[in-house]
Amino acid sequence: MAFDDDLKGCAELVRQGDPDRFMATMAAPVAARPLLFALYAFNLELSRAPWASQESMIAEMRVQWWRDVGAEIAEAKPVRRHYVATPLGRLLRPELAKEIDPMAEARRWDIYRDPFEDEAAFDTYIDATSGSLLWMAAASLGDAEEETVRAFGRGMGIANWLRAIPELEKQKRVPLLDGTTKGVQQLAEKGYRYLEQARRARGSVSTAAAPAMLAGWQAQSILKQAIGEPERVAAGALGTSEFRRRGGLMMRAALGRW
């Protein structure tokens, strides 16, 4: 699919708002990039919707707008005109677009300031947001075993969540069920186990689908840091140097290893 103005807009949105996924997409084969840019741009728009207004009703309306887009795609109906929704409607298969509804439902948590009810509620949030996004990406590109992809997505989601904690707390959210050092370590260990589960089943993700998995290239190192130095989470100091980030991505892309 040619990069029309809509897709160029999607790519620019991802470049500015989600530089890690932008880098991962640029490391993917050219043919995979239109779908990935449209999907990641959608994810940015949906994730920002709850923060669009201090008025919860307005934020709910923004989330519902994207929920309605997902329903239009899932039901093979004409998709409303929007520079992200339009290419997403062309590129995302209807059966995969069904994942958008639980994604949007999970994002409603971001609107309010209540903590997660329990561990199951947190797990559902991570799977519906990160797991579903990765599944839509991988399954759009090629054959893959859903649980393998979702497990990797959950591990990646926990790593990204730990990086986001300082900003979430700044916004008066309660991101952790257990904010103690031990609690942070246990959450990071859980994420690491998800990555290991997925990698043990690496063969269930085809070569065609594998470029979607590049988006999680930093998850392992981030989770290791959180396990070994949990104080880095509160300090917002998770992550590696730009040189190591780029080098690690290039190596994984070249070897086809995620």
Side-chain angles (χ1 to χ4, degrees):
M1 181 177 181
F3 267 75
D4 58 13
D5 288 343
D6 286 340
L7 276 173
K8 289 175 183 177
C10 288
E12 180 61 17
L13 178 63
V14 178
R15 186 187 70 81
Q16 292 186 14
D18 195 346
D20 288 343
R21 284 194 175 94
F22 179 83
M23 288 174 60
T25 302
M26 292 304 293
V30 173
R33 294 176 192 172
L35 178 280
L36 294 177
F37 276 134
L39 194 56
Y40 294 154
F42 151 73
N43 183 59
L44 264 177
E45 291 282 88
L46 178 60
S47 66
R48 289 173 173 176
W51 310 90
S53 172
Q54 295 295 321
E55 295 292 332
S56 60
M57 183 177 295
I58 295 175
E60 288 271 14
M61 291 171 63
R62 290 286 297 274
V63 171
Q64 184 62 44
W65 195 92
W66 286 105
R67 200 170 199 165
D68 293 343
V69 168
E72 290 166 359
I73 301 172
E75 296 168 14
K77 294 180 177 178
V79 178
R80 61 196 64 190
R81 172 67 195 146
H82 183 273
Y83 81 103
V84 174
T86 299
L88 187 69
R90 291 200 304 265
L91 294 164
L92 187 64
R93 301 201 308 268
E95 64 270 24
L96 292 174
K98 293 176 182 178
E99 300 292 339
I100 291 176
D101 191 72
M103 283 181 75
E105 176 61 27
R107 286 294 179 186
R108 293 181 64 244
W109 181 88
D110 298 323
I111 297 173
Y112 304 100
R113 298 185 180 182
D114 299 324
F116 288 105
E117 183 177 348
D118 51 26
E119 186 174 0
F122 175 81
D123 291 346
T124 296
Y125 178 95
I126 292 294
D127 184 64
T129 53
S130 185
S132 292
L133 178 65
L134 191 60
W135 170 239
M136 285 193 289
S140 293
L141 299 183
D143 294 333
E145 203 283 316
E146 184 172 356
E147 178 52 31
T148 300
V149 174
R150 284 189 176 276
F152 195 76
R154 291 191 290 267
M156 177 183 167
I158 290 173
N160 289 338
W161 188 257
L162 291 171
R163 294 173 74 185
I165 282 174
E167 181 60 28
L168 288 167
E169 290 181 335
K170 182 180 176 181
Q171 298 296 330
K172 308 301 182 184
R173 301 307 193 268
V174 184
L176 294 171
L177 293 164
D178 181 355
T180 66
T181 296
K182 186 63 175 175
V184 169
Q185 289 176 316
Q186 288 177 340
L187 180 57
E189 288 167 355
K190 183 177 186 176
Y192 197 87
R193 289 194 298 272
Y194 280 134
L195 296 185
E196 289 185 320
Q197 174 190 336
R199 284 176 172 149
R200 285 194 298 269
R202 185 181 274 115
S204 67
V205 177
S206 67
T207 300
M213 311 295 272
L214 289 175
W217 93 94
Q218 299 179 89
Q220 181 176 359
S221 62
I222 289 169
L223 292 169
K224 279 185 175 180
Q225 287 177 358
I227 294 168
E229 303 173 78
E231 65 278 2
R232 294 180 68 153
V233 173
L238 293 175
T240 58
S241 68
E242 185 68 13
F243 176 78
R244 291 189 64 184
R245 285 174 67 241
R246 291 181 179 274
L249 176 59
M250 290 174 62
M251 180 185 69
R252 291 179 186 278
L255 297 176
R257 303 281 288 182
W258 44 268

